[in-house]
Amino acid sequence: MDFNKTRYIPMSRRRRIYEGKAKTLYEGPEPGTLIQHFKDDATAFNAKKHQIIEGKGVLNNRISEYIFQHLNDIGVPTHFIKRLNMREQLIREVEIVPLEVVVRNVAAGSLSQRLGIEEGTQLPRSIIEFYYKNDQLGDPMVSEEHITAFGWATPQEIDDMMALAIRVNDFLTGLFLGVGIRLVDFKMECGRLFENDMMRIIVADEISPDSCRLWDIKSNEKMDKDRFRRDLGGLLEAYTEVAKRLGILVDQDRPAGSGPVLVKS
Ligand code: TMP
Ligand code: ASP
């Protein structure tokens, strides 16, 4: 398939497949593809808290593109094919495994609360956790016993997801360390890709400051969605700084009221 020749279907004529909290999925130009559209909606605590942050979707589209493209390049399979425009990317259609895979390197958030470990404490090793994706239940943490008993994933798929999670964690830790950012933890989602008679587990969804905890190495300043969850303000500025450090945006002030200034189209 030549994805460079993909026809652009006007938004009004596209079939919407799924409406999430921060993203919408539309039918793609070829069978087996979808278009992932990044919205400006920020939610926390299972959407009890909600706000539109103008420009967030554009930044997450670019940051997630950068991460997924690099993962593809080092042989970590993902659903990402290519970015289409400011807010959209072309992706492979997968069957989403109904689990959130969280990898933690440093204690923070719910781990600190649950186990009484002070935020910022380096963990003895990276810890992988699974949460069942169900907003009504508040995404409860589950064990491998629950996952296999209820058929959300097989033992082999759990192994595959853990292997992917470790590779993604190693890549992201180094990537962010190189630009003065500590990867505290992150969440990823996996999907089943069906190709011919084969099925394999690949990385799906997004990886962005919405789904990671990123702290500045020197100041410990939060550069992620905790700025919104904890009412710290400056979310857009923090995400812009992450993008700039990764070399995605030109280091220049943007005129008030305009969107982020993009270099590459
Ligand atoms: P937690 O400490 O609240 O469990 O979050 C762990 C990591 O997972 C953190 O980087 C934020 C991310 N996360 C999501 O992306 N979506 C979610 O629904 C939750 C609860 C956490
Ligand atoms: N729980 C998610 C978060 O805090 C967002 C949401 O559930 O609305 O990242």
Side-chain angles (χ1 to χ4, degrees):
M1 234 180 284
D2 183 355
F3 291 115
N4 290 321
K5 293 214 184 98
T6 47
R7 201 162 40 90
Y8 184 78
I9 304 166
M11 228 161 120
S12 54
R13 280 201 274 123
R14 272 192 215 145
R15 198 157 64 91
R16 194 173 54 186
I17 306 284
Y18 177 79
E19 180 87 47
K21 286 177 286 190
K23 296 187 294 297
T24 308
L25 294 178
Y26 296 95
E27 130 184 273
E30 315 273 348
T33 67
L34 295 176
I35 291 167
Q36 176 165 265
H37 178 105
F38 288 76
K39 301 190 281 188
D40 284 336
D41 299 65
T43 68
F45 316 116
N46 298 309
K48 282 188 206 97
K49 183 168 172 169
H50 177 238
Q51 199 183 316
I52 305 285
I53 302 179
E54 219 172 295
K56 178 176 81 77
V58 174
L59 286 161
N60 281 350
N61 185 27
R62 295 298 295 253
I63 294 169
S64 199
E65 170 200 13
Y66 183 89
I67 291 170
F68 275 76
Q69 186 57 59
H70 279 80
L71 289 172
N72 284 343
D73 291 346
I74 61 164
V76 177
T78 81
H79 74 165
F80 180 81
I81 299 170
K82 67 171 195 173
R83 185 170 60 82
L84 297 172
N85 56 51
M86 298 266 281
R87 289 189 181 273
E88 294 175 332
Q89 37 186 255
L90 185 65
I91 59 168
R92 282 175 220 285
E93 185 172 24
V94 294
E95 181 184 282
I96 290 287
V97 176
L99 298 169
E100 299 196 340
V101 185
V102 169
V103 184
R104 301 179 185 273
N105 302 303
V106 175
S110 69
L111 178 116
S112 290
Q113 282 192 348
R114 206 180 326 117
L115 303 179
I117 303 172
E118 195 186 343
E119 283 213 322
T121 310
Q122 185 73 38
L123 297 170
R125 61 174 176 81
S126 301
I127 295 173
I128 303 178
E129 298 170 340
F130 294 100
Y131 293 83
Y132 177 48
K133 263 170 74 77
N134 185 319
D135 275 346
Q136 274 162 1
L137 300 175
D139 296 345
M141 184 156 74
V142 290
S143 73
E144 296 188 30
E145 278 288 286
H146 300 115
I147 296 169
T148 50
F150 296 118
W152 298 323
T154 65
Q156 178 64 55
E157 288 175 334
I158 295 174
D159 282 355
D160 291 350
M161 287 190 287
M162 291 178 80
L164 283 176
I166 289 165
R167 291 191 72 191
V168 173
N169 185 50
D170 285 348
F171 170 73
L172 289 181
T173 300
L175 175 76
F176 284 120
L177 191 60
V179 296
I181 294 173
R182 181 142 82 134
L183 178 69
V184 171
D185 55 34
F186 70 96
K187 184 265 300 190
M188 62 173 227
E189 295 187 24
C190 294
R192 298 184 182 97
L193 178 68
F194 297 92
E195 271 175 331
N196 307 318
D197 282 345
M198 296 279 288
M199 188 276 286
R200 60 189 174 123
I201 296 283
I202 67 174
V203 183
D205 193 54
E206 73 178 297
I207 299 177
S208 72
D210 266 12
S211 56
C212 300
R213 281 201 175 89
L214 305 170
W215 295 359
D216 181 75
I217 290 274
K218 290 207 190 106
S219 66
N220 274 331
E221 183 98 1
K222 297 186 199 318
M223 305 173 77
D224 55 62
K225 207 168 89 174
D226 272 350
R227 301 211 69 86
F228 168 71
R229 293 191 193 95
R230 302 181 188 192
D231 296 318
L232 300 171
L235 179 136
L236 215 54
E237 290 76 2
Y239 285 28
T240 303
E241 177 63 18
V242 172
K244 276 184 188 171
R245 289 201 196 175
L246 291 174
I248 300 169
L249 299 181
V250 188
D251 193 0
Q252 68 182 68
D253 290 333
R254 60 187 172 88
S258 79
V261 180
L262 303 176
V263 253
K264 290 182 280 183
S265 68

